[in-house]
Amino acid sequence: MSDLPPRPPLARTRDADEETRYRAVQELDAERPAELAELLSCLGDGSWRVRGAAVERLAAPADPRQVLPGLLAAVDGGDSVGARDAAGAALARLGPAALPALVERLGTGGPEGRQAASAILGAIGDRRALPALAARLADADANVRASAAAALGHIGGPEAGTALLAALDSDDATLRGAALEALASLRLAPPLAQLTRLLADRALRPAAYRALGASDEPGALEALGEGLAERSGSVRLAVLDAIGRQRTRRGRDALERLARAVRGVAERQPGAADACAEALAGGEPTVAAGALTALSWIGEARHAAAVARAAEDDGLRSLAEEALEALPRSEAVRQALAEVAPALPPLARLSACATLAAAGDGAALEAVLSAIDDPDERVQEEAVAALGRLGDARAVPRLCARLGDARADVAGLAASALILIAGRSPADRQAVLGGCRADGAPGPSPAALRVLGAVGDAEDLVRARAALGAEGLACRVAAAAAVAGLAARGLARGEHLPELIAALGDGSWEVRAAAARAFHVLAEARAEDRLADPRGHEHPLCAQARVALQDRLGDDEPAVRAAALEALGGCGRPEHAPHIAALLAAAGSPPLVAAAALRALVRLGAATPALLERALRHPDAEVAKEAVAGAAGLAGAEGARLLSAAARSGRWDVRHAAARAMAARSEPELREEAGRLAAVEPDELVARAFAAAARRGER
Amino acid sequence: MALGERLPDLSEETFRLLRDVIHRHCGLWFRDDLRYLLARRLGPRMQSLGLSTYAEYHRFLRFDPRGLGEIDEATDLLTTNETYFHREPQQLAAFRREVLPALALERRPEARLRIVSAGCSTGEEPYTIAILLKESGLFEGWQVEVVGLDISRRCLEVARAGVYGEHAFRAAEGAELRRWFRRRDGKWVVDETIRRMVRFSAANLLDERALAGVGRADAVFFRNVMIYFDLAARRQALRRLHGRLREGGWLMLGHSESLLNVTADFELVHLRDDLVYRKPRVGAPEIA
């Protein structure tokens, strides 16, 4: 061991050993002038680790003004690309502190300095830089123009979008390309007429197609579908990416025009479908989603195997199953799937077998039934769900056997599957009811109660009421829901439900909450005249029930208070409003309770503008959104004023709710305001909603 | 007969709300293009709870007293990642040929070795590592431990059971590992010799306390996990793993992953057939 004192860091930053330099840099302090100079020098070190460490040190000074001049000089005059990049990275890490100097550099530096400043401002992402960057789209230097466009694409927002859209008309082809790529990355679509012109330029075509993925214009769908006819692989991938994005944004049903165009191309060019199948192997999720969507429209047997394989991917399984289902019911498809199925991974095999079973293949149905007992839980769960979708009554005994499964997931899925099967035909319903009534001893399981509540008869109401006294907590909770479900279908016929009122006083909050939710269901059913009670008849929402519900407003458990509030709101009796308003006003009311109280008051017509205005300012967005819903139903200037206020909320989801509410109103001034907000809204989803609200007025 | 209704649509708005809830809970971040994955994984769970829309499921997560437990369930479902034995064989070959001999040399004085598989999912990776260690013959008589970490309790249950289907051996090199398994009821059960080398632990990689019980590691496998983290969370997880590694310890990422623009705390090492990372050494030997 050496007794020599360790060398100071400044003496080690030029050491031949990379590790020594790396550690020395970490010890340097950017606040000390000599060490700052050395750190700036280390930005040019040959090792990226050393450069990275220097960036870290330079990006965290107490006073950024100390490091800015050196970093700006290094961006301009660094010895190497690595040094300039590292200086840029440090400036980007400094963030807003570097903004004024970089903006100034945009206007005064040389071409390389302006280009670098643009890129760094893009990396910082501060919107205050947008005007300066937009001005650089007219820079004398082509590289600066392109760099500014890319930076605008990184920062985003309406101002960036407007500038980039204008740049699409530039004479400079490089700028047009950079602007289009930036718009595609922002998922902002130029007008279709403009995009059609840009599609004529081979170099711009991939970006133009990607931009079509964000277009709301109906004609964009045809243009996109025609894109599948492109010969270039990269262009076709861009087309599939855009189809995938349209599928994600709009859902399958809204895309019929696109489907027709895709089918048309596939008829003219058989190779287009093969290209879609090949794209499935690429690994890009949106491209694969687009390829599966296109293949589901094309529906050719020869791609059955490729589509089935895609079903192994969780993120693509629904789309793959849709595509499998869309295949023609031909012998060729049956053979292709039967051949490939044994070699597929378990979940994809299940999807293939379910498709075959749906086409009437008995052996495949047996394979799906067997998968219920697979040792892999995920295969079991998928098999249960697939049997529900198949709706084949032969699955009923196997599914009923799972209603008592110790894993609530499997039992719950089996219940969902049985409810689906029961909806197929009266005979299937009877098969399901027979299985569920025989389930469990001494009483039905919670999952069986769920099925009975959803599809049962009057005799099942007796079972469910009895189960409210069951020993098991989950049974009592499920029984409350079942009683509500059956009664809401008119099966209680004015009967008094004392067991349900008693359940409001159960020792377990879960049961009390379930009973209160049950009364809410009953109240909604009564309001819609589904209880089959003679008008004026008090049962089952009798005065006794309402008193018990009002008692629950003081329950220790917020979930019970919230459910009781909803039920009282649904009863439609204004005398409850003061109690409900008191809960809303109570200090420290949990958001769950506040949201339920607000909903109840709106339901009772007792939500005043002042109360809604206060709720709009609630720190929890879910409460604020309830206030938006209340304001939406408030006619006249007060409602419009509250929606305007909500449209300026700091929370994107509150603004989104406001935009949707504005779309449902008829006031021209609200539509005009929506248009103005659409132009400045930073969130893409919300901006679309404001634009849609504004467009409603145009129609 | 036609297949009936599938899962309900997950709107962009609800996807973002659900994503925010998960992100706040455990740092996992689902990119926009993973919306289908979220819908597919959470849909059946939502149905099994008797809820009919994702918006109802969001409210359940946010407000129901059972919501906190349900977020754990949802996280479990979202992090159950399909994997298999001997995944990314080229890197494992480099690990066997170059890293293991180096570790055998470096760690001989203590005769102790600990390898961490961070984000081990259902256990295929830690068992693969244990088999590689066993078959190398370099660590006989040593105290060897492979630690599998994952946030998903559901995955860890499968991993601890050590029972796998045929498909888990689909890689050619994976098929050769079957000699360390025995057949039972049509499945492959991991041999006790290998099972004893591996221990599993539930851990959120962003939580320092959760990693405290792991001990110093000689190598960390952190492959194909970063996709689920945003940049800040990646940096945080890597900082935690850096803290667990011995100086000179190895970090193995997935073949498509790199630390460029993420952290400079590790050095890049060019092996003959692969690139891996290493925690830089300081001169003095470290006390275990």
Side-chain angles (χ1 to χ4, degrees):
Chain A
M1 215 170 179
S2 168
D3 289 333
L4 289 172
R7 286 185 296 156
L10 279 174
R12 286 183 274 128
T13 52
R14 309 295 167 101
D15 198 284
D17 177 52
E18 180 207 27
E19 182 57 28
T20 304
R21 298 200 305 280
Y22 173 73
R23 291 193 173 272
V25 166
Q26 287 184 315
E27 292 172 38
L28 293 177
D29 184 350
E31 311 276 328
R32 297 185 188 127
E35 296 186 16
L36 169 61
E38 193 57 24
L39 278 170
L40 289 167
S41 164
C42 287
L43 291 175
D45 194 285
S47 155
W48 73 269
R49 287 186 64 236
V50 177
R51 293 200 301 274
V55 168
E56 295 284 335
R57 302 302 295 156
L58 286 163
D63 182 0
R65 286 173 300 185
Q66 287 181 308
V67 298
L68 271 173
L71 285 174
L72 288 166
V75 164
D76 273 351
D79 294 337
S80 63
V81 174
R84 291 193 291 273
D85 282 354
L91 284 165
R93 292 282 295 276
L94 285 177
L99 211 63
L102 286 166
V103 168
E104 187 192 339
R105 181 63 54 107
L106 269 185
T108 58
E112 284 192 6
R114 298 200 300 277
Q115 187 184 349
S118 298
I120 299 164
L121 286 167
I124 291 173
D126 192 310
R127 293 195 174 187
R128 287 172 290 180
L130 285 176
L133 283 168
R136 284 305 107 202
L137 293 176
D139 196 283
D141 185 276
N143 289 325
V144 177
R145 293 195 294 271
S147 176
L152 290 168
H154 279 123
I155 299 174
E159 198 175 344
T162 307
L164 289 167
L165 283 170
L168 292 177
D169 293 326
S170 162
D171 294 337
D172 172 9
T174 310
L175 175 59
R176 286 199 306 273
L180 193 53
E181 291 286 359
L183 284 164
S185 73
L186 290 172
R187 291 197 255 158
L188 287 175
L192 181 59
Q194 200 168 18
L195 274 177
T196 307
R197 282 198 301 278
L198 295 167
L199 281 170
D201 185 334
R202 187 184 292 265
L204 297 182
R205 221 169 279 169
Y209 276 119
R210 273 194 291 277
L212 279 173
S215 177
D216 286 327
E217 291 186 59
L221 298 178
E222 271 102 1
L224 191 51
E226 286 300 322
L228 267 190
E230 293 279 352
R231 302 281 177 192
S232 152
S234 63
V235 178
R236 268 201 308 254
L237 286 179
V239 170
L240 290 173
D241 180 78
I243 292 176
R245 291 193 189 283
Q246 286 285 8
R247 173 73 178 79
T248 309
R249 291 174 66 233
R250 300 201 198 191
R252 185 184 164 85
D253 295 342
L255 298 177
E256 187 45 42
R257 293 176 77 162
L258 177 55
R260 274 202 303 274
V262 167
R263 279 194 289 263
V265 171
E267 278 167 26
R268 297 198 310 270
Q269 282 186 26
D274 297 333
C276 293
E278 283 164 25
L280 284 176
E284 272 302 311
T286 42
V287 172
L292 282 169
T293 303
L295 287 169
S296 78
W297 288 326
I298 297 168
E300 288 184 2
R302 63 202 161 97
H303 301 118
V307 172
R309 259 183 231 109
E312 188 62 12
D313 185 325
D314 270 341
L316 297 174
R317 193 170 307 124
S318 296
L319 288 174
E321 287 174 350
E322 261 179 25
L324 285 171
E325 196 183 333
L327 293 173
R329 297 275 182 265
S330 66
E331 179 56 22
V333 170
R334 197 201 65 74
Q335 259 188 12
L337 285 177
E339 267 171 32
V340 74
L344 290 172
L347 293 170
R349 187 164 61 237
L350 192 59
S351 296
C353 287
T355 307
L356 287 167
D361 186 320
L365 177 65
E366 197 47 51
V368 181
L369 283 168
S370 307
I372 285 192
D373 300 318
D374 193 282
D376 185 331
E377 281 179 28
R378 285 181 64 203
V379 176
Q380 278 180 31
E381 289 170 12
E382 289 286 346
V384 169
L387 287 170
R389 292 197 300 273
L390 278 167
D392 192 312
R394 283 174 286 181
V396 169
R398 302 287 284 269
L399 289 170
C400 283
R402 288 290 170 170
L403 289 174
D405 200 293
R407 284 161 304 163
D409 271 4
V410 175
L413 284 172
S416 294
L418 285 164
I419 292 167
L420 280 173
I421 292 172
R424 297 269 163 169
S425 73
D428 289 348
R429 177 168 165 269
Q430 285 310 317
V432 168
L433 288 176
C436 290
R437 287 168 185 160
D439 173 72
S445 62
L449 281 164
R450 201 178 123 202
V451 182
L452 292 174
V455 300
D457 288 328
E459 67 170 284
D460 299 305
L461 183 59
V462 179
R463 278 189 184 82
R465 287 171 67 173
L468 277 168
E471 199 173 317
L473 169 68
C475 268
R476 299 204 299 284
V477 170
V483 166
L486 290 162
R489 284 172 38 229
L491 297 172
R493 300 204 172 277
E495 280 178 71
H496 193 53
L497 296 173
E499 306 90 341
L500 199 56
I501 297 172
L504 285 171
D506 195 282
S508 299
W509 71 262
E510 289 96 331
V511 181
R512 297 198 300 278
R517 280 196 296 270
F519 278 110
H520 181 212
V521 171
L522 291 170
E524 295 292 336
R526 187 158 196 266
E528 292 165 16
D529 229 4
R530 286 188 283 117
L531 278 190
D533 289 343
R535 269 286 168 204
H537 199 290
E538 284 286 17
H539 302 297
L541 286 158
C542 59
Q544 192 188 347
R546 292 200 306 277
V547 169
L549 283 168
Q550 196 163 308
D551 283 348
R552 288 302 110 212
L553 297 185
D555 200 286
D556 288 341
E557 173 53 51
V560 180
R561 296 206 294 278
L565 281 163
E566 301 264 19
L568 285 171
C571 284
R573 290 181 173 257
E575 66 263 31
H576 297 299
H579 301 282
I580 297 173
L583 256 143
L584 178 60
S589 254
L592 167 67
V593 174
L598 197 53
R599 216 162 21 241
L601 288 171
V602 169
R603 191 69 202 273
L604 293 171
T608 61
L611 190 144
L612 290 171
E613 191 161 19
R614 262 201 311 279
L616 273 179
R617 293 195 297 269
H618 196 281
D620 193 291
E622 296 303 318
V623 181
K625 282 188 276 185
E626 285 302 335
V628 173
L634 206 60
E638 281 292 11
R641 181 180 66 79
L642 290 173
L643 289 181
S644 290
R648 287 168 175 77
S649 162
R651 281 281 312 214
W652 69 268
D653 46 343
V654 177
R655 295 197 304 277
H656 190 237
R660 282 183 307 179
M662 287 164 104
R665 304 272 293 214
S666 56
E667 292 98 321
E669 59 272 24
L670 270 184
R671 293 199 294 267
E672 281 166 22
E673 183 167 15
R676 283 195 297 275
L677 290 168
V680 296
E681 169 60 49
D683 186 289
E684 187 217 342
L685 175 71
V686 184
R688 280 207 308 267
F690 278 129
R695 277 201 303 275
R696 274 182 70 89
E698 287 165 20
R699 282 203 296 275
Chain B
M1 193 192 301
L3 282 169
E5 279 187 22
R6 285 171 208 295
L7 297 168
D9 273 343
L10 171 58
S11 71
E12 189 173 348
E13 179 189 11
T14 310
F15 164 68
R16 285 170 56 173
L17 292 170
L18 283 170
R19 171 169 76 179
D20 287 351
V21 170
I22 303 279
H23 185 247
R24 277 197 299 273
H25 177 61
C26 64
L28 291 175
W29 178 254
F30 288 86
R31 299 184 320 245
D32 289 350
D33 57 11
L34 293 175
R35 183 158 131 202
Y36 282 117
L37 181 77
L38 218 78
R40 186 72 205 193
R41 294 271 175 96
L42 298 182
R45 174 71 191 167
M46 174 185 94
Q47 286 183 335
S48 76
L49 289 166
L51 304 172
S52 50
T53 67
Y54 291 97
E56 282 178 37
Y57 188 64
H58 171 251
R59 276 197 293 276
F60 186 85
L61 287 175
R62 278 287 327 271
F63 290 139
D64 196 280
R66 294 160 291 175
L68 195 58
E70 184 57 30
I71 294 178
D72 285 336
E73 285 290 332
T75 308
D76 256 14
L77 290 167
L78 293 170
T79 53
T80 301
N81 295 309
E82 205 268 343
T83 182
Y84 48 91
F85 288 100
H86 224 291
R87 191 174 180 185
E88 299 192 13
Q90 186 179 340
Q91 185 182 63
L92 290 172
F95 179 70
R96 178 171 52 80
R97 275 200 306 265
E98 297 186 62
V99 176
L100 287 186
L103 282 172
L105 206 62
E106 290 162 18
R107 304 290 294 142
R108 191 182 304 280
E110 290 182 51
R112 277 159 56 167
L113 188 73
R114 180 180 291 119
I115 314 271
V116 170
S117 165
C120 69
S121 191
T122 40
E124 287 87 340
E125 182 175 87
Y127 286 131
T128 299
I129 296 166
I131 291 170
L132 290 179
L133 294 174
K134 188 79 189 162
E135 290 187 340
S136 74
L138 295 167
F139 307 99
E140 290 304 319
W142 286 39
Q143 193 179 325
V144 175
E145 182 180 55
V146 179
V147 183
L149 302 176
D150 205 279
I151 193 171
S152 165
R153 287 169 288 122
R154 188 183 291 240
C155 283
L156 292 174
E157 270 175 39
V158 176
R160 288 189 182 109
V163 180
Y164 297 94
E166 201 66 51
H167 202 63
F169 298 90
R170 62 181 176 272
E173 294 83 352
E176 292 170 18
L177 301 185
R178 282 203 192 99
R179 57 180 168 269
W180 293 99
F181 291 76
R182 59 198 159 72
R183 286 291 261 180
R184 192 178 72 198
D185 303 331
K187 294 278 169 182
W188 296 93
V189 184
V190 70
D191 189 275
E192 268 310 301
T193 324
I194 300 302
R195 189 204 298 273
R196 277 199 298 270
M197 293 169 68
V198 185
R199 87 175 151 93
F200 293 98
S201 183
N204 181 347
L205 297 174
L206 304 180
D207 184 350
E208 175 65 30
R209 289 162 304 170
L211 289 178
V214 171
R216 288 280 182 190
D218 299 291
V220 169
F221 281 72
F222 187 48
R223 305 193 298 176
N224 308 304
V225 181
M226 286 199 288
I227 182 178
Y228 296 111
F229 292 143
D230 61 10
L231 184 60
R234 284 177 193 189
R235 287 191 172 131
Q236 198 175 340
L238 284 161
R239 216 166 24 243
R240 306 267 183 261
L241 294 174
H242 184 270
R244 288 294 97 206
L245 266 175
R246 282 178 200 286
E247 288 178 351
W250 304 79
L251 175 72
M252 326 294 280
L253 300 181
H255 72 273
S256 59
E257 299 172 317
S258 95
L259 297 184
L260 202 63
N261 297 326
V262 181
T263 175
D265 286 348
F266 296 88
E267 60 186 337
L268 189 64
V269 181
H270 292 256
L271 300 180
R272 206 176 338 146
D273 295 321
D274 204 2
L275 295 171
V276 296
Y277 290 89
R278 207 167 180 188
K279 178 174 175 174
R281 295 171 181 288
V282 275
E286 192 186 309
I287 297 162

